[in-house]
Coordinates of all heavy atoms in Angstrom, one line a residue:
P906 N 275.5 45.0 195.3 CA 275.8 44.0 194.3 C 274.6 43.2 193.9 O 273.8 42.7 194.7 CB 276.8 43.1 195.1 CG 277.4 44.0 196.1 CD 276.3 44.9 196.5
S907 N 274.4 43.0 192.6 CA 273.3 42.3 192.0 C 273.7 41.7 190.7 O 274.8 41.8 190.3 CB 272.1 43.2 191.9 OG 272.3 44.2 191.0
N908 N 272.7 41.2 190.0 CA 272.9 40.6 188.6 C 272.5 41.5 187.5 O 272.5 41.0 186.3 CB 272.2 39.2 188.5 CG 272.9 38.2 189.3 OD1 274.1 38.2 189.6 ND2 272.1 37.2 189.8
E909 N 272.3 42.7 187.8 CA 271.9 43.6 186.7 C 272.3 45.1 187.0 O 272.5 45.5 188.1 CB 270.4 43.6 186.4 CG 269.5 43.9 187.7 CD 268.0 43.7 187.4 OE1 267.7 43.0 186.5 OE2 267.3 44.4 188.1
G910 N 272.4 45.9 185.9 CA 272.7 47.3 186.1 C 274.0 47.6 186.8 O 275.0 46.8 186.7
R911 N 274.0 48.7 187.5 CA 275.2 49.1 188.2 C 275.6 48.1 189.4 O 276.7 48.0 189.7 CB 275.0 50.5 188.8 CG 273.8 50.6 189.8 CD 273.6 52.0 190.2 NE 272.7 52.1 191.3 CZ 272.5 53.2 192.0 NH1 273.1 54.3 191.7 NH2 271.6 53.2 193.0
G912 N 274.6 47.4 189.9 CA 274.9 46.4 190.9 C 275.7 45.3 190.4 O 276.6 44.7 191.1
Y913 N 275.5 45.0 189.1 CA 276.3 43.9 188.5 C 277.8 44.4 188.3 O 278.7 43.6 188.4 CB 275.7 43.5 187.1 CG 276.4 42.3 186.5 CD1 276.5 41.1 187.2 CD2 277.0 42.4 185.2 CE1 277.1 40.0 186.6 CE2 277.6 41.3 184.7 CZ 277.7 40.1 185.3 OH 278.3 39.0 184.8
V914 N 277.9 45.7 188.0 CA 279.3 46.2 187.8 C 280.1 46.1 189.1 O 281.2 45.6 189.2 CB 279.2 47.7 187.4 CG1 280.6 48.3 187.4 CG2 278.6 47.9 186.0
I915 N 279.4 46.4 190.3 CA 280.0 46.3 191.6 C 280.3 44.8 191.9 O 281.4 44.5 192.4 CB 279.2 46.9 192.7 CG1 279.1 48.4 192.5 CG2 279.7 46.6 194.1 CD1 280.4 49.1 192.5
R916 N 279.4 43.9 191.5 CA 279.7 42.5 191.8 C 280.9 42.0 191.0 O 281.7 41.3 191.5 CB 278.4 41.7 191.4 CG 278.6 40.2 191.5 CD 277.3 39.5 191.5 NE 276.6 39.6 192.8 CZ 275.4 39.2 193.1 NH1 274.6 38.7 192.1 NH2 274.9 39.4 194.3
R917 N 281.0 42.4 189.8 CA 282.1 42.0 188.9 C 283.5 42.6 189.5 O 284.5 41.9 189.5 CB 281.9 42.5 187.5 CG 280.8 41.8 186.7 CD 281.2 40.3 186.5 NE 282.4 40.1 185.8 CZ 282.4 40.1 184.4 NH1 281.3 40.2 183.7 NH2 283.6 39.9 183.8
I918 N 283.4 43.8 189.9 CA 284.6 44.5 190.5 C 285.1 43.7 191.8 O 286.2 43.4 191.9 CB 284.3 46.0 190.9 CG1 284.2 46.8 189.6 CG2 285.4 46.5 191.8 CD1 283.8 48.2 189.8
L919 N 284.1 43.4 192.6 CA 284.4 42.7 193.9 C 285.0 41.3 193.5 O 286.0 40.9 194.1 CB 283.2 42.6 194.8 CG 283.5 42.1 196.2 CD1 282.5 42.7 197.1 CD2 283.4 40.6 196.3
R920 N 284.4 40.6 192.6 CA 284.9 39.3 192.3 C 286.2 39.3 191.6 O 287.1 38.4 191.8 CB 283.8 38.6 191.4 CG 282.6 38.3 192.1 CD 281.5 37.5 191.3 NE 280.4 37.1 192.2 CZ 279.4 36.3 191.8 NH1 279.4 35.9 190.5 NH2 278.5 36.0 192.6
R921 N 286.5 40.3 190.9 CA 287.8 40.4 190.3 C 288.9 40.7 191.3 O 290.0 40.1 191.3 CB 287.8 41.6 189.3 CG 289.2 41.7 188.5 CD 289.0 42.7 187.3 NE 290.2 42.7 186.5 CZ 291.2 43.7 186.6 NH1 291.0 44.7 187.5 NH2 292.2 43.6 185.9
A922 N 288.6 41.5 192.3 CA 289.5 41.8 193.4 C 289.7 40.5 194.2 O 290.8 40.2 194.6 CB 288.9 42.9 194.3
A923 N 288.6 39.7 194.4 CA 288.8 38.5 195.2 C 289.6 37.5 194.4 O 290.4 36.7 195.0 CB 287.4 37.9 195.4
R924 N 289.5 37.4 193.1 CA 290.4 36.5 192.3 C 291.8 36.9 192.4 O 292.7 36.0 192.5 CB 289.9 36.5 190.9 CG 288.6 35.9 190.6 CD 288.5 35.4 189.2 NE 288.8 36.4 188.2 CZ 288.0 37.3 187.7 NH1 286.7 37.3 188.2 NH2 288.3 38.2 186.9
F925 N 292.1 38.2 192.4 CA 293.5 38.6 192.6 C 294.0 38.4 194.0 O 295.2 38.2 194.2 CB 293.7 40.1 192.2 CG 293.9 40.3 190.7 CD1 292.8 40.5 189.9 CD2 295.2 40.3 190.2 CE1 293.0 40.7 188.5 CE2 295.4 40.5 188.8 CZ 294.3 40.7 188.0
G926 N 293.0 38.3 195.0 CA 293.4 38.0 196.3 C 293.9 36.6 196.4 O 294.8 36.3 197.2
R927 N 293.4 35.7 195.6 CA 293.9 34.3 195.5 C 295.3 34.2 195.1 O 296.0 33.4 195.5 CB 293.0 33.5 194.6 CG 291.5 33.4 195.0 CD 291.2 32.0 195.6 NE 289.9 32.0 196.2 CZ 289.3 30.9 196.5 NH1 289.8 29.7 196.2 NH2 288.1 30.9 197.1
N928 N 295.7 35.2 194.3 CA 297.2 35.2 193.9 C 298.1 35.5 195.1 O 299.3 35.2 195.0 CB 297.4 36.3 192.8 CG 296.7 36.0 191.5 OD1 296.3 34.9 191.2 ND2 296.5 37.0 190.7
L929 N 297.5 36.1 196.1 CA 298.3 36.4 197.3 C 298.0 35.4 198.4 O 298.4 35.6 199.6 CB 297.9 37.8 197.8 CG 298.0 39.0 196.8 CD1 297.6 40.3 197.5 CD2 299.5 39.1 196.3
G930 N 297.4 34.3 198.0 CA 297.2 33.2 199.0 C 295.9 33.3 199.8 O 295.8 32.6 200.8
M931 N 295.0 34.3 199.5 CA 293.9 34.5 200.3 C 292.7 33.8 199.8 O 292.1 34.1 198.7 CB 293.5 36.0 200.4 CG 294.6 36.8 201.0 SD 295.0 36.3 202.7 CE 293.4 36.6 203.5
E932 N 292.2 32.7 200.5 CA 291.1 32.0 200.1 C 289.9 32.3 201.0 O 288.8 31.7 200.8 CB 291.4 30.5 200.2 CG 292.5 30.1 199.2 CD 292.8 28.6 199.1 OE1 292.0 27.9 199.8 OE2 293.7 28.2 198.4
K933 N 290.1 33.1 202.0 CA 289.0 33.5 202.8 C 288.7 35.0 202.6 O 289.6 35.8 202.2 CB 289.3 33.3 204.3 CG 289.5 31.8 204.7 CD 289.8 31.6 206.1 CE 289.9 30.2 206.5 NZ 290.2 30.0 208.0
P934 N 287.5 35.5 202.9 CA 287.1 36.9 202.8 C 288.1 37.8 203.5 O 288.4 37.5 204.7 CB 285.7 37.0 203.3 CG 285.2 35.6 203.2 CD 286.3 34.7 203.4
F935 N 288.6 38.8 202.9 CA 289.5 39.8 203.5 C 289.4 41.2 203.0 O 289.7 42.2 203.7 CB 291.0 39.3 203.3 CG 291.5 39.6 201.9 CD1 292.3 40.7 201.7 CD2 291.2 38.8 200.9 CE1 292.8 41.0 200.4 CE2 291.7 39.1 199.6 CZ 292.5 40.2 199.4
I936 N 288.8 41.3 201.8 CA 288.7 42.7 201.2 C 287.8 43.6 202.0 O 288.1 44.8 202.1 CB 288.1 42.5 199.8 CG1 289.0 41.7 198.9 CG2 287.9 43.9 199.1 CD1 288.4 41.3 197.6
Y937 N 286.8 43.1 202.7 CA 286.0 44.0 203.5 C 286.7 44.7 204.6 O 286.4 45.7 205.1 CB 284.8 43.1 204.2 CG 285.3 42.2 205.2 CD1 285.2 42.5 206.6 CD2 285.7 40.9 204.9 CE1 285.6 41.6 207.6 CE2 286.1 40.0 205.9 CZ 286.1 40.4 207.2 OH 286.4 39.5 208.2
K938 N 287.9 44.1 205.1 CA 288.7 44.6 206.1 C 289.4 45.9 205.7 O 289.8 46.7 206.5 CB 289.7 43.6 206.6 CG 289.2 42.4 207.2 CD 290.3 41.4 207.6 CE 289.7 40.1 208.2 NZ 290.8 39.2 208.6

Side-chain angles (χ1 to χ4, degrees):
S907 67
N908 288 328
E909 58 184 25
R911 60 183 189 171
Y913 186 59
V914 174
I915 293 301
R916 175 163 283 172
R917 291 294 300 272
I918 287 175
L919 191 149
R920 291 183 172 185
R921 184 168 187 261
R924 291 202 310 273
F925 274 91
R927 296 258 169 160
N928 294 343
L929 304 178
M931 296 303 297
E932 297 185 3
K933 294 182 179 181
F935 76 100
I936 297 170
Y937 71 94
K938 297 178 181 178

